[in-house]
Amino acid sequence: MRARPTDLDDPDDHGPGATPPVGATIVADEVTKSYGSLARAVDGVSLRVEARQFALLSGPSGSGKSTLLNLIAGFDIPDAGTITVDGRPVTDTTDMAHFRREVLGFVFQSHHLISGLTALDNVDVALLPTGRRRAERVELARASLAEVGMAARTTHLPSQLSGGERQRVAVARALANRPRLLLADEPTGQLDTASGVEILELFRALRDRLGMTILLVSHDEEARRYADVTFQMRDGRLVTRAPPQDAGA
Ligand code: ADP
């Protein structure tokens, strides 16, 4: 039996009786990136994030977190070293469009929603490249909005939503293609404390429910309580890998 569209499964990748997609494993090996003649933004970083892990990348501003995240996303190319996602080199992948569409979901600090589109149509934007028909895309977009608790806001414009709700729609857009890897760059950076905590709780609940791997960049101390593992950066280097914190409460 074919999985229903509302299951958000990709019929191309998951056949009959499809199991939910499993989180991807990230491995970075001695990754270095410089900008011009400046000191290295990322300086020989090696890390491993296991499938289904919720990992946090923290550290002071300018320590290289966003640069490393962008390299893992394939938005930029390292000067040296390798990054693999599920064993496939991100930088060597000949089909970057496939990687971005089928494997990766990305949440930015600012929601980057299109102001003239409803929440539903903003999520649909991520589904357009899949070539699915509109009716099927609407089903998927609705299901994705439901996953983030926004089922009752599908026809709202971004201006009619709170900051936290906009960021939820941005998360729904990142989820639309059921990514195996969800990367987020300071997603709580522009939110008040309560909305930020709600987004962190949402990430953890999504990981528990959908099973993707999450790598979150944040210098929000609160984020440590939600992550399984914390990587700390300073001056482009990985300085500590803190033990998991109590994620209760
Ligand atoms: P973080 O995310 O920890 O704040 P970044 O990765 O944004 O740190 O930046 C690391 C270093 O690289 C900083 O010194 C920053 O100024 C520099 N940097 C980042 N992006 C660029 C760029 N596009 N051009 C030049 N320098 C950059």
Side-chain angles (χ1 to χ4, degrees), residues 1 11 21 40 43 46 60 97 118 133 136 144 150 159 163 181-182 202-203 207 211 221 223 228 231:
M1 197 173 96
R40 290 172 174 176
D43 189 4
S46 298
T118 63
R133 289 200 309 275
E136 192 184 351
S144 199
M150 293 291 288
S159 60
L181 174 59
L182 189 59
L202 174 64
F203 275 121
R207 190 283 307 269
E221 275 301 309
D228 303 317
F231 299 98

Side-chain angles (χ1 to χ4, degrees), residues 138-207:
V138 165
E139 280 296 307
L140 291 166
R142 277 189 200 286
S144 199
L145 284 163
E147 288 284 5
V148 303
M150 293 291 288
R153 299 279 193 280
T154 56
T155 58
H156 285 56
L157 295 169
S159 60
Q160 297 169 319
L161 299 171
S162 71
E165 288 174 331
R166 282 179 215 146
Q167 197 57 302
R168 280 177 183 268
V169 176
V171 175
R173 180 182 55 195
L175 285 180
N177 289 304
R178 202 73 182 267
R180 285 183 285 135
L181 174 59
L182 189 59
L183 303 179
D185 194 354
E186 298 278 7
T188 65
Q190 294 184 0
L191 301 178
D192 60 75
T193 307
S195 302
V197 165
E198 282 178 19
I199 292 292
L200 292 168
E201 284 174 352
L202 174 64
F203 275 121
R204 193 168 60 182
L206 288 171
R207 190 283 307 269

Side-chain angles (χ1 to χ4, degrees), residues 32-44:
T32 293
K33 178 74 186 178
S34 302
Y35 293 105
S37 57
L38 296 174
R40 290 172 174 176
V42 172
D43 189 4

Side-chain angles (χ1 to χ4, degrees), residues 94-160:
T94 47
D95 192 357
M96 188 54 86
H98 177 270
F99 176 71
R100 292 201 179 134
R101 198 176 58 231
E102 308 291 343
V103 180
L104 177 71
F106 201 99
V107 180
F108 301 90
Q109 179 168 10
S110 174
H111 52 78
H112 290 305
L113 299 179
I114 299 168
S115 59
L117 296 183
T118 63
L120 187 82
D121 285 339
N122 265 289
V123 177
D124 185 33
V125 165
L127 291 160
L128 282 170
T130 65
R132 290 183 167 97
R133 289 200 309 275
R134 167 78 179 165
E136 192 184 351
R137 297 198 318 266
V138 165
E139 280 296 307
L140 291 166
R142 277 189 200 286
S144 199
L145 284 163
E147 288 284 5
V148 303
M150 293 291 288
R153 299 279 193 280
T154 56
T155 58
H156 285 56
L157 295 169
S159 60
Q160 297 169 319

Side-chain angles (χ1 to χ4, degrees), residues 35 38-39 41-42 59-68 185 217:
Y35 293 105
L38 296 174
V42 172
S61 185
S63 59
K65 305 182 297 295
S66 294
T67 301
L68 181 59
D185 194 354
V217 162

